[in-house]
């Protein structure tokens, strides 16, 4: 059972109250400014931590006594691992209780297969990094003793002392039970606190059978228990329990004298620890069952490096200064030409063309910028798709040995290793070289995936990894260890890897060659880099003689920055610039294969680049170098101290890491993590045997776990098998449908959904309930929950989820024996609460539970009034995002917290009842917290009311999405007044203490939700749009009633309530008026026809359909028509929905037109599945499906067909000259048969749409043609029946078409109007995907589809269509995008 601990907190101050949303949400931080410090003082603080005026803590250091205090107060202890300055800083900012510097760094930092390669030197170095953080809050810091560091008591105490004295940790941790007794005793005698570790001990995992669950049978579980108890009695201040069954962990926790810290041990431990990289989504190999990701940072890092790579490859170049040129004595023809409007390509770097304006607009460069802009936007929102084009930007990579890298069939490269010859080739071909730093397995993997040319393992790791003030503390041992980590990546593409020689590693030629050789042989690098000009000549010569490639480094040399006046610009006057030039030239002539130019004027860098014989790599040296290098942490926004002027952030990952750790902390503190699905189980037989062997009574666990523990409560019979529970959900709106569907999908419960929405009930009974879920990485997954009319149900572990759906009317009949619901969830709108309660009264028994999770206040009281004493009521709030997309389909758009408990009036409800509800919801994936007290429950309800009473009415009145409210000055005052009245009502309720003290805190929570649901439409606005009653009476109306009762002014809420009610009335009157305006003489015929067509009708013959069409004509109904060739997908269904929205009757034709296929095309293999198509259309409540026979619609030798003049001269027509004649012929025939009022087509087939519009115009066909936007997959691929032909690898490559089109659109939006430039950027992006074969790129008039050579203002106004066709494998794909000026858009 999960509970919310409120000790030392203001009620929900730390409750992880995710998604306090009016409609759909993805998470809300419960942090309220000003509250955290108060909470932390109550946990740890005293007057010594306050300033002289008793204000906020000046500095707070957590001690072992604070840990003990939390344990005795039963407050969860929060621990997280950290390994470097970044992860440590995030943990400090999140104010976790303890940091563990884990030997897991072997896996997550160095890429080792396990932890046993980690040494005490590694631990000390990383411990110094973790303890390098300066922050007002310092956790208790524990260092792991690595495997080889405590083999004997002498080793153990010596290395523990080193970890404390050199690594600055507060305590050490070691693994094992009785076998480590001598080592533990020795360390404790030295006065060093020790944390034990039992269960799965990774250092000795081989002897345990691998990294797997331990203690899942009685005897091993007893051994773990005895080991934990022994360590506690020995004097360990805490014990880690890893990967053991949650019941065993709970029993151990309750029966030893020190706190337990669980990892994969369930929620019953005293605290929790998680690996930082699991929390942040930064470990790519696997996600342990017991872990939970609070961010997906790894993918964002990959995308950031890819964006940097694209920008470097496509950058322009720059030029130098006159006095410096004179001193160098080198002619400046190339540079002066490059500054001149008449420059040519003699410089070898850029052809500027005839006009100066071309300096400002680079087609390819702008394309990359457009692509970066798209990625940047996603990064700002915290969501990044890391699946950009994974192909080499420069095909010269493969020039040296092209065939060797291909498979036997000449396909894509199997493995590509960049060599020094490839770097030289890029230099000679004037292709920019892309370099990025990397320091560990994560940063290296991102660089490999982005396919950068070179990786530099920089001594900048001293600053960005270890938190040192500079680079000079880095040793050769550090460099070797991190080089091994970087080169540990296994990927089909391997960059050229260069290792920095640290400052102390090349003081003499002997040192230089020895340490360079170590870096190559032990660190596996390809080359080394060292800093300086002529002074390093002997060292460079020695290394080169050993056959090791050397990269030079001039300009700002950080290792000797003190002698240069600090970390600042160099060469900004002529003489120093000449010295830099001469140093670079000297190194090039000496034999260095490349030279880094750091922090020098861009014109000087350009001149050096053009006048030395090797490539230059710039960092802060402008765009004129042969390539660029950036520090990984600058690219990703992971370095907090400063951002150099020359750096550019492509992501803001640092902030997301902080937020992820804070969310983890909040969930552990509140009890929302871990849940049962993050834990391991033990069979009841083995657990009982375990209890018997330990000989310790376990009343607390048996009461909570035993099936019969609560049968005597008289409120709910949980003695039965819980998976056979009968559950009813009343209310089939978005949330009711989601809850019912998720419960039914488990296959454990007999679930019935009760709804008065006949259409919804019928659709689910016919086709099932489709739950579409937005998963972590932005992809929507669909899960179909089947429906059944079979009244028998017996759950088994393998049972497939089945949902029964019925109406309230049917429940009025007395259910048969045994059909009484054990649990009834009421999830209706507030105004339906009483009728829902009356329905519930017909299906509950004496032991049943009624659970209300509704928005608004007072629902439990209304249920009790209707049901009397027969109702045992559990109340709560649920904050998942749900949207009902149509009958039978619900969209699960975000997860949040579910909080349940009992109000003051329901104190008699037993703990077993709330535990049962919690278990049911948790099993269905609704992470549920049980509130300890009525006050906590009430607090959660009021928090949600605060959000809903501000967001819902304001968005409904303004008719806007939630995001419109953020930072909008026009509604700031109104929001503030609503918040003030909300708090005024709360304060007038004596005896209730709310977790938020001021209106700023309320508004922060509200706008947090608005920001995280900014693309959502509030439920109140949706209700107004659908002309149904809103919940205003149970939100703002409730505040108005409470205000009047308590004599508190609530004028603003009164006004808001009145406006929304007026809008409700207006919408109803408008709907009634529109209905009457159709004419009374038509209504009878229409109703008769529609009533006769309650179910989808399949019509196969032309005469039969003509008789139907005649009835349409005489009844005055608007007929919508969607012609298709079957193989239906979401794109077709969107056309259907648009037709149903606009028209009274919807007709869909399914006919594979032979006239539009050439003999060599896929007519015979084209996907045909009429049964599936019928089911999909039936679920959409299509009125008629027309499937004419081919022999009837297309005679074998038709005497008359249409010829579309000029179609063969248009792009698609040129590729398929027969196509549009066939389309026009059949579409005209269908128009004549169906006689539609409106016909619907998809923009994806742009030239087809143009042909149909011209057909209608030329032949005066009486139908309106509506072209709907292209419907796309989550990665941008246009939906098409032919997508089914693609295999997995081809499918992965297919989104390149849309990305290329987006690049052109972004270029257009930036002002580019040159047709050739738009075409070129598309062709460039498509060329990056080796699997894509381009057929054509066409830029055309959107109406006629005639290709154009320039964008006239009229064309820009009416729309320009850019079309692409190509093949991936054998599959032909097309897509397009329509460009319009911003005003027209």
């Amino acid at each position: 059972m999960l509970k919310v601990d409120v000790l030392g907190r203001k009620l929900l101050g730390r409750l992880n109250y995710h998604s306090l949303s009016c409609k759909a949400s993805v998470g809300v931080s419960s942090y309220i400014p000003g509250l955290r410090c108060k909470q932390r003082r109550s946990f740890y603080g005293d007057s010594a931590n306050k300033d002289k005026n008793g204000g906020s803590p000046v500095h707070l250091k957590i001690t072992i006594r604070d840990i003990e205090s939390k344990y005795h107060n039963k407050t969860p202890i929060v621990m997280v691992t950290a390994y470097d300055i970044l992860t440590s800083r995030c943990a400090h900012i999140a104010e976790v209780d303890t940091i563990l510097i884990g030997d897991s760094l072997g896996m997550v930092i160095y890429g080792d297969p396990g932890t046993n390669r980690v040494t005490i030197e590694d631990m000390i170095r990383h411990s110094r990094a973790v303890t390098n953080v300066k922050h007002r809050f310092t956790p208790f810091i524990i260092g792991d003793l690595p495997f080889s560091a405590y083999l004997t008591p002498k080793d153990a105490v010596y290395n523990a002392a080193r970890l404390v004295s050199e690594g600055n940790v507060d305590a050490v941790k070691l693994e094992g039970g009785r076998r480590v007794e001598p080592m533990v005793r020795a360390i404790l005698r030295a006065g060093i606190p020790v944390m034990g570790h039992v269960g799965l001990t990774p250092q000795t995992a081989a002897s345990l059978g691998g990294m797997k669950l331990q203690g899942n049978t009685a005897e091993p579980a007893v051994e773990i228990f005895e080991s934990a108890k022994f360590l506690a009695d020995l004097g360990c201040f805490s014990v880690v329990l890893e990967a053991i069954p949650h019941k065993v962990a709970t029993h151990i926790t309750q029966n030893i004298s020190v706190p337990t810290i669980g990892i994969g041990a369930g929620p019953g431990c005293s605290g929790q620890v998680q690996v930082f990289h699991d929390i942040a989504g930064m470990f790519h190999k696997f996600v342990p069952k017991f872990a939970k990701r609070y961010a997906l940072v790894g993918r964002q890092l990959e995308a950031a490096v890819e964006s940097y790579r694209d920008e470097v490859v496509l950058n322009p170049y720059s030029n130098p200064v006159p006095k410096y040129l004179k001193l160098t004595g080198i002619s400046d023809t190339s540079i002066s030409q490059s500054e001149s409007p008449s420059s040519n390509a003699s410089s070898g770097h850029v052809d500027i063309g005839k006009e100066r304006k071309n300096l400002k607009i680079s087609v390819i460069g702008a394309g990359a910028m457009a692509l970066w802009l798209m990625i940047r936007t996603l990064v700002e929102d915290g969501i990044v798709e890391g699946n950009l084009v994974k192909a080499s930007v420069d095909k010269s990579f493969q020039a040296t040995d092209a065939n060797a890298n291909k498979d036997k069939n000449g396909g894509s490269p199997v493995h590509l290793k960049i060599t020094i010859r490839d770097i030289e080739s890029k230099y000679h071909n004037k292709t920019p070289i892309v370099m990025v730093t990397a320091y560990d397995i994560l940063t290296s993997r991102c660089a490999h995936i982005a396919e950068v040319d070179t990786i530099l393992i920089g001594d900048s790791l001293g600053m960005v990894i270890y938190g040192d003030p500079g680079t000079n503390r880095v040793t050769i041992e550090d460099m070797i260890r991190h080089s091994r980590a970087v080169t540990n990546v296994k990927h089909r593409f391997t960059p050229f890897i260069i290792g920095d020689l640290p400052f102390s590693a090349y003081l003499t030629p002997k040192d230089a060659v020895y340490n360079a050789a170590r870096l190559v042989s032990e660190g596996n690098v390809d080359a080394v880099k060292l800093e300086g000009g002529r002074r390093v000549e002997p060292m460079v010569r020695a290394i080169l003689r050993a056959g090791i490639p050397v990269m030079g480094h001039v300009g700002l040399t950080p290792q000797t920055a003190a002698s240069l006046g600090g970390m600042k610009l160099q060469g900004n006057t002529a003489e120093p610039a000449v010295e830099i030039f001469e140093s670079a030239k000297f190194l090039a002539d000496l034999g260095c294969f490349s030279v880094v130019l750091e922090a020098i004027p861009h014109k000087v860098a350009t001149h050096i680049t053009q006048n030395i014989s090797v490539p230059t790599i710039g960092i802060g040296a402008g765009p004129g170098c042969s390539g660029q290098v950036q520090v990984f942490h600058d690219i990703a926004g992971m370095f907090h101290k400063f951002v150099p002027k020359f750096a550019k952030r492509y992501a803001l990952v640092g902030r997301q890491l902080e937020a992820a750790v804070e969310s983890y902390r909040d969930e552990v503190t509140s009890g929302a993590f871990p849940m049962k699905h993050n834990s391991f189980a033990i069979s009841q037989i083995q657990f009982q045997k375990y209890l018997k062997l330990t000989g310790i009574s376990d009343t607390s666990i048996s009461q909570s776990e035993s099936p019969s523990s609560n049968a005597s409560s008289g409120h709910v019979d949980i003695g039965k098998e819980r998976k056979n529970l009968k559950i009813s959900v009343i209310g089939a709106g978005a949330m009711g449908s989601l809850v019912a569907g998720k419960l039914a999908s488990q296959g454990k419960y007999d679930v019935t959904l009760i709804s008065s929405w006949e259409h919804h009930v019928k659709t689910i009974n016919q086709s099932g309930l489709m739950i579409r879920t937005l998963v972590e990485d932005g992809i929507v997954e669909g899960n179909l929950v089947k429906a059944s009319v079979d009244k028998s149900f017996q759950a088994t572990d393998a049972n497939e989820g089945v949902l029964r759906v019925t109406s309230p009317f049917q429940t009025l009949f007395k259910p048969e024996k045994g059909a009484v619901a054990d649990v009834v969830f009421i999830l209706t709108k507030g105004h339906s609460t009483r009728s829902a309660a009356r329905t519930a009264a017909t299906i509950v028994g004496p032991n049943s539970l009624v659970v209300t999770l509704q928005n608004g206040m007072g629902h439990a009281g209304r249920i009790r009034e209707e049901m009397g004493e027969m109702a045992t009521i559990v109340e709560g709030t649920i904050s998942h995002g749900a949207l009902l997309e149509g009958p039978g389909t619900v969209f699960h758009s975000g997860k949040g917290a579910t909080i349940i408990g009992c109000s003051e009036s329901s104190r008699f409800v037993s703990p077993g009842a709330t535990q049962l509800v919690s278990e049911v919801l948790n099993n269905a994936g609704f992470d549920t917290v049980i509130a300890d007290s009525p006050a906590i429950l009430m607090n959660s309800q009021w928090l949600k009311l605060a959000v809903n009473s501000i967001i819902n009415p304001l968005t409904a009145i303004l008719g806007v999405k939630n995001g419109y409210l953020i930072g909008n000055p026009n509604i700031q005052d109104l929001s503030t007044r609503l918040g003030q009245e909300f708090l005024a009502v709360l304060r007038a309720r004596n005896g209730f203490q709310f977790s938020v003290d001021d209106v700023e805190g309320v508004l922060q929570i509200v706008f947090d939700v608005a920001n995280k649901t900014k693309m959502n439409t509030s439920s109140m606005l949706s209700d107004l749009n659908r002309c149904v009653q809103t919940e205003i009476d149970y939100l703002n109306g409730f505040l108005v009633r409470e205000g009047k009762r308590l004599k508190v002014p609530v004028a603003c809420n009164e006004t808001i309530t009145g406006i929304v009610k007026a809008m409700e009335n207006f919408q109803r009157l408008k709907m009634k008026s529109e209905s009457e305006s159709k004419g009374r003489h038509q209504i009878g015929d229409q109703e008769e026809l529609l009533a006769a067509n309650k179910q989808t009708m399949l019509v196969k013959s032309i005469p039969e359909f003509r008789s139907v069409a005649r009835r349409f004509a005489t009844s005055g109904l608007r007929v919508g028509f969607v012609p298709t060739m079957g193989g239906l997908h979401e794109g077709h269904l969107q056309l259907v929905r648009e037709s149903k929205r606009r028209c009274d009757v919807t007709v869909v034709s399914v006919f594979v037109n032979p006239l539009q296929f050439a003999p060599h095309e896929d007519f015979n293999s084209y996907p045909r599945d009429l049964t599936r198509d019928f089911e999909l259309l039936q679920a959409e409540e299509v009125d008629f499906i027309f499937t004419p026979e081919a022999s009837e619609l297309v005679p074998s030798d038709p005497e008359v067909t249409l010829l579309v003049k000029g179609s063969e001269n248009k792009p698609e027509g040129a590729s398929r000259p027969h196509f549009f004649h066939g389309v026009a012929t059949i579409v005209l025939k269908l128009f004549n048969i169906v006689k539609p009022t409106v016909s619907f087509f998809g923009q994806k087939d742009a030239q087809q749409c143009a042909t149909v519009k011209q057909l209608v115009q030329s032949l005066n066909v009486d139908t309106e043609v509506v072209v709907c936007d292209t419907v796309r997959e989550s990665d941008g691929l246009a939906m098409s029946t032919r997508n089914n032909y693609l295999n997995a690898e081809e499918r992965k490559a297919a989104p390149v078409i849309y990305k290329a089109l987006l690049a052109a659109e972004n270029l257009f939006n930036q002002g580019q109007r040159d047709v050739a430039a738009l075409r070129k950027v598309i062709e460039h992006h498509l060329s990056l995907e080796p699997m894509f074969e381009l057929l054509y790129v066409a830029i055309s008039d959107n109406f006629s589809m005639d290709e154009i050579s320039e964008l006239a203002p009229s064309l820009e106004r009416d729309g320009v269509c850019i079309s692409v066709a190509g093949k991936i494998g054998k599959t032909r794909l097309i897509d397009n995008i329509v460009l319009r000026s911003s005003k027209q858009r």
Side-chain angles (χ1 to χ4, degrees), residues 1019-1229:
S1019 57
M1020 193 171 290
L1021 176 56
S1022 295
D1023 290 343
L1024 284 177
N1025 290 338
R1026 293 188 296 120
C1027 302
V1028 299
Q1029 188 176 349
T1030 70
E1031 291 186 288
I1032 191 70
D1033 272 333
Y1034 302 91
L1035 302 175
N1036 304 76
F1038 170 82
L1039 291 172
V1040 170
R1041 293 190 294 275
E1042 280 294 278
K1044 289 180 177 178
R1045 181 178 71 83
L1046 299 168
K1047 296 182 172 52
V1048 174
V1050 283
C1052 192
N1053 276 281
E1054 279 187 282
T1055 303
I1056 289 288
T1057 304
I1059 292 173
V1060 174
K1061 285 190 169 184
M1063 293 175 74
E1064 285 180 9
N1065 292 331
F1066 173 77
Q1067 291 291 84
R1068 281 195 291 269
L1069 289 171
K1070 180 181 176 184
M1071 183 174 66
K1072 183 179 179 182
S1073 174
E1074 289 176 349
S1075 176
E1076 291 174 349
S1077 69
K1078 292 184 177 180
R1080 300 185 62 84
H1081 67 281
Q1082 292 184 357
I1083 291 177
D1085 290 341
Q1086 292 177 359
E1087 289 179 347
E1088 179 187 352
L1089 183 60
L1090 292 173
N1093 189 40
K1094 285 268 184 177
Q1095 294 184 339
T1096 301
M1097 292 182 62
L1098 181 65
V1099 182
K1100 295 186 176 181
S1101 75
I1102 294 175
E1104 183 183 358
F1105 199 91
R1106 279 190 168 138
S1107 68
V1108 174
R1110 282 192 288 272
R1111 294 194 67 189
F1112 294 158
T1114 57
S1115 65
L1117 292 169
R1118 285 173 59 83
V1119 178
F1121 178 44
V1122 181
T1124 78
M1125 293 208 305
L1128 301 185
H1129 50 70
E1130 185 64 21
H1132 296 110
L1133 300 183
Q1134 289 287 12
L1135 299 179
V1136 169
R1137 290 166 195 149
E1138 186 65 14
S1139 173
K1140 289 183 66 63
R1141 188 179 75 82
R1142 293 188 180 213
C1143 303
D1144 302 306
V1145 175
T1146 293
V1147 179
V1148 176
S1149 66
V1150 178
F1151 179 71
V1152 183
N1153 177 14
L1155 297 183
Q1156 66 188 59
F1157 289 85
H1160 66 280
E1161 291 184 335
D1162 58 341
F1163 174 73
N1164 292 324
S1165 62
Y1166 193 84
R1168 295 169 173 86
D1169 188 347
L1170 185 58
T1171 301
R1172 176 183 172 276
D1173 293 341
F1174 185 85
E1175 290 174 352
L1176 289 172
L1177 295 173
Q1178 191 177 45
E1180 296 293 334
E1181 283 210 327
V1182 166
D1183 299 288
F1184 293 92
I1185 302 174
F1186 181 38
T1187 59
E1189 294 292 338
S1191 59
E1192 188 177 21
L1193 194 62
V1194 186
S1196 58
D1197 186 19
E1199 295 182 0
V1200 179
T1201 58
L1202 289 181
L1203 180 65
V1204 182
K1205 185 179 179 182
S1207 64
E1208 66 279 1
N1209 299 324
K1210 296 168 185 178
E1212 187 68 9
S1215 297
R1216 306 178 71 192
H1218 56 282
F1219 179 79
F1220 292 101
H1221 309 316
V1223 168
T1225 301
I1226 295 303
V1227 168
L1228 181 60
K1229 287 190 172 198

Side-chain angles (χ1 to χ4, degrees), residues 45 53 149 161 303 376 449 487 538 662 675 724 1330 1340:
N53 300 317
R376 180 68 171 179
I449 289 173
T487 56
E662 287 178 340
M675 306 301 292
N724 287 326
S1340 314

Side-chain angles (χ1 to χ4, degrees), residues 572-874:
N572 53 339
T573 58
E575 291 78 6
V578 171
E579 185 179 342
I580 294 169
F581 166 75
E582 290 175 347
S583 295
K585 193 171 188 309
F586 174 78
L587 290 170
D589 295 342
L590 196 60
C592 291
F593 73 91
S594 179
V595 178
V596 170
L597 307 178
E598 180 168 359
I600 65 175
H602 66 91
K603 292 185 178 181
V604 174
T606 302
H607 182 264
I608 293 173
T609 300
Q610 295 174 351
N611 289 285
I612 68 173
S613 57
V614 298
T616 60
I617 306 296
I619 177 168
C625 299
S626 312
Q628 299 291 328
V629 61
Q630 285 284 289
V631 173
F632 187 99
H633 288 55
D634 288 337
I635 290 173
M638 292 164 60
F639 189 61
H640 65 284
K641 291 184 178 180
F642 57 84
V643 182
K645 174 183 176 179
F646 52 76
K648 179 175 182 179
R649 286 179 167 178
Y650 294 79
L652 292 172
V653 166
R655 295 176 190 170
Q656 295 178 49
L657 294 177
E658 295 166 13
V661 181
E662 287 178 340
S663 297
Y664 160 69
R665 172 210 66 203
D666 289 342
E667 289 204 353
V668 171
T669 304
S670 67
F673 176 83
M675 306 301 292
K676 279 198 174 180
H677 59 267
N678 304 119
S679 311
F680 299 101
I682 185 173
S683 72
Q684 189 65 18
I685 294 174
Q686 289 295 326
F687 184 62
Q688 292 300 327
K689 185 177 178 182
Y690 159 81
L691 293 176
K692 185 176 180 181
L693 290 171
T694 61
I696 298 176
S697 174
D698 186 41
T699 54
S700 60
I701 295 181
S702 61
Q703 286 175 355
S704 65
E705 299 286 351
S706 169
S708 60
S709 65
N710 212 46
S712 63
S713 67
H715 295 292
V716 62
D717 180 12
I718 57 173
K720 58 168 32 180
E721 278 290 302
R722 293 196 181 188
K723 63 185 177 183
N724 287 326
L725 288 173
K726 288 184 168 57
I727 299 174
S728 291
V729 179
I730 302 176
M735 192 58 70
S737 298
L738 177 65
V739 170
K742 298 279 276 185
L743 289 170
S745 66
Q746 300 304 301
K748 297 180 178 181
Y749 310 118
D750 184 354
V751 183
T752 300
L753 177 61
I754 302 172
S755 171
S756 57
W757 186 8
E758 183 182 353
H759 189 181
H760 195 42
V761 170
K762 184 177 75 174
T763 301
I764 297 174
N765 277 328
Q766 289 175 344
S767 307
L769 175 65
M770 172 60 73
I771 301 176
R772 298 177 65 245
T773 303
L774 182 66
V775 296
E776 285 181 327
D777 54 359
I779 299 173
V780 175
E781 292 182 347
N783 177 33
L784 183 66
V785 182
K786 294 183 179 179
S788 172
V789 293
D790 179 13
K791 295 181 180 179
S792 63
F793 181 89
Q794 180 65 37
T796 66
D797 288 340
N799 198 64
E800 186 175 356
V802 174
L803 175 65
R804 239 186 316 279
V805 194
T806 187
S807 68
F809 176 77
Q810 291 171 299
T811 66
L812 294 176
F813 296 98
K814 189 66 178 176
E816 68 271 24
K817 185 176 180 181
V820 171
D822 299 300
V823 183
V824 178
F825 288 90
I826 294 182
L827 284 161
T828 61
K829 298 282 188 181
H831 52 75
S832 301
T833 299
R834 292 187 183 277
S835 62
R838 289 192 290 271
T839 299
T842 67
I843 56 175
V844 298
N847 294 324
S848 299
L849 288 176
V850 177
V851 185
T852 169
L853 299 173
Q854 298 159 279
N855 285 341
M857 307 294 282
H859 301 301
R862 284 182 281 277
I863 294 170
R864 189 168 290 106
E865 289 172 9
E866 292 294 329
M867 299 185 68
E869 291 302 314
M870 69 189 303
T872 301
I873 300 174
V874 175

Side-chain angles (χ1 to χ4, degrees), residues 3-21:
K3 295 188 177 182
V4 181
D5 193 319
V6 296
L7 181 65
R9 285 176 289 143
K10 281 193 172 184
L11 300 175
L12 291 183
R14 274 288 177 85
L15 181 62
N16 178 47
Y17 200 79
H18 278 303
S19 305
L20 286 169
S21 163

